[in-house]
Amino acid sequence: MTAEATARSTEAARPVVDTIYGPVRGVDDGTVRVFKGVRYAAPPVGALRWRPPQPPQPWTEPADADRVSPVCPQVTDAQLPIDLGAPQGEDFLTVNVWTPPGTTAGADKPVMVWVHGGAYVLGAASQPLYHGRRLAVDGDIVVVTVNYRLGALGFLELPTVGADPETFSTNVGVRDVVAALEWVRDNIAAFGGDPKRVTVFGESAGGAIVTTLLASPAAAGLFHAAIAQSPPVTSSYDSDRARRVAERFLDVIDIGPRDLTELTRMPVQAIVAASRTVFDEIPARTPGTLAFAPIVDGDIIPDYPVRVAQAGKTLPVPLIIGTNKNEAALFRYMKQPLMPITPESVKAMFAEIAAEQPDLPLPSEDELRGTYRGRPKASGLRVASDIGFRMPSIWFADGHRAVAPVYLYRFDFATPLLRAVRLHAAHATELPYVWGNLVSGRKDPTFALGGLKAGKDVSRRLRARWTSFARTGEPAGLAGEPHWGPYDADRRPTLVIDKHDRVIDDLDAPVRRAWGDDILSFR
């Protein structure tokens, strides 16, 4: 190869795309084009630490986008170690973009924007699990993954203790995701994506951010379809609860309410350490609640998402929403108090809910006993799964279907190993199948006892549904797969994702009868 041909080949392998802030240089390996660590906002440091995301400083020379940015500072869980894919640091408000090979401006491919989970305190867009190569290439779509502020950096509501709202805004983690979606709207066409066909999707806390965005006027027009996987829809709280958390945080970090500006100058690791202390304390004291989560601030979040949905006021875009069959099993395995599993913690949670909302029609003990027959420990897991994930998703689906089509699913597939360790289809176990990244490293034990062939088939079918939805607004299956129609008041069809997919009418009838369909507020 001549020097000139080599130069042309190198240039083709390092494509440059112009964004509104400046050009970025990615990598094209012949299978996928990827642009990593692309800034959508300025680093949230100093006076910007708790302010809404601000535009980055523009640049003129191509910025290298061949490696991911740092991730939001956080304390990872030793019981469930997460490969974040990058070191921690404060310059993390970035996105990663994958496109099929040869995709250039004007291709107008569907776009899927991922919001990662992690209880609002963990995770990153750079996790190897979320590498978008397989999803982008096989689905012929553009994939974007988003970093946003976590823990106290994203969800410590200091205005509730009198902080200056100009310096300390509310819900900055949610505001980051809105800013990333605005970046997608303004820039994705240059990468070959269609800004009029954007699907926002997320899991766990990321799924709840998706349902929150559906209830936020600030997100109107920024996406055209949504997928919420295992969303704790009701993990949004009022300002009184946020104030109590903020007061406890200030106690832990030893800052008085008159010295809040000190927080903008404090080393970030001190804030992270205090975040973890408060995060561990809150669910132990009040089962079923999180220390850091979106709050109803009357601004970017005008009301509780479930209430907005059941009032028929969510953004009118098609929605896929669902949960896993054995959500709570992960929290039992981790020995985490995030979800109430024991009879004592379930009763404590019910007592707190009843005290906060005496008019809420919670099921009686007799109703629960009739619905959740079986061994007490197994019943506790089912109650926890339903109160934390399944019923909030159904309440949201029942409301949102008044404004747009809704498709309800349940993920049941479990490998022999997951069944052996009693995890089954636990929280987050669907993620490898959504992304097509079934084996993460040589030591991944998921398929140690078999099941990889079936798992690949599950992944192929699931990704076909998700990408079809991003392309057309309907989750069409592969040839021969059952038809999955919209969730309605009569049939309530639900896709059960397993070794062989099925569509079952009113799958959740017993649970709905126990919990009720008409709850307008639950938190």
Side-chain angles (χ1 to χ4, degrees), residues 274-494:
S275 292
R276 187 57 196 236
T277 297
V278 177
F279 174 79
D280 288 341
E281 287 180 356
I282 295 298
R285 294 178 179 178
T286 54
T289 61
L290 297 169
F292 304 107
I295 69 163
V296 176
D297 60 3
D299 180 17
I300 195 167
I301 304 177
D303 203 346
Y304 298 99
V306 167
R307 181 180 287 168
V308 175
Q310 296 211 334
K313 295 182 179 179
T314 40
L315 302 181
V317 303
L319 169 67
I320 291 176
I321 189 168
T323 64
N324 295 356
K325 184 177 183 180
N326 311 98
E327 294 280 359
L330 177 67
F331 303 95
R332 176 188 61 187
Y333 180 83
M334 295 171 61
K335 297 181 172 59
Q336 272 278 4
L338 288 179
M339 293 194 70
I341 294 172
T342 66
E344 295 77 17
S345 62
V346 170
K347 287 182 180 179
M349 179 185 58
F350 271 60
E352 182 186 358
I353 293 169
E356 284 188 4
Q357 302 175 80
D359 297 328
L360 194 66
L362 293 173
S364 68
E365 286 192 28
D366 287 342
E367 287 172 319
L368 287 175
R369 194 176 296 113
T371 302
Y372 299 97
R373 297 184 180 91
R375 293 176 291 111
K377 288 185 179 180
S379 298
L381 286 173
R382 292 169 60 199
V383 172
S385 295
D386 288 341
I387 196 171
F389 297 99
R390 191 64 185 177
M391 278 312 304
S393 294
I394 291 173
W395 293 331
F396 195 92
D398 267 324
H400 188 70
R401 64 182 171 80
V403 299
V406 174
Y407 300 88
L408 184 69
Y409 76 88
R410 192 181 75 188
F411 184 85
D412 286 19
F413 182 73
T415 67
L417 178 77
L418 293 181
R419 293 196 296 270
V421 298
R422 297 192 303 152
L423 278 171
H424 301 279
H427 189 64
T429 55
E430 89 286 4
L431 289 172
Y433 305 94
V434 170
W435 289 91
N437 299 326
L438 297 189
V439 180
S440 56
R442 289 177 294 178
K443 296 183 179 180
D444 183 349
T446 306
F447 298 96
L449 300 180
L452 182 58
K453 181 179 179 181
K456 288 181 177 179
D457 190 48
V458 169
S459 178
R460 184 172 58 88
R461 289 185 274 112
L462 196 158
R463 285 183 288 117
R465 298 264 192 195
W466 265 220
T467 55
S468 168
F469 183 70
R471 185 170 293 105
T472 67
E474 296 182 7
L478 297 171
E481 292 302 312
H483 174 69
W484 181 20
Y487 191 72
D488 57 34
D490 298 323
R491 292 181 49 238
R492 298 180 180 270
T494 302

Side-chain angles (χ1 to χ4, degrees), residues 243-264:
R243 174 182 51 78
R244 295 194 295 271
V245 172
E247 290 171 344
R248 177 57 185 151
F249 177 88
L250 295 177
D251 286 342
V252 170
I253 209 163
D254 197 22
I255 291 286
R258 295 184 179 180
D259 302 317
L260 295 178
T261 54
E262 289 296 317
L263 291 170
T264 65

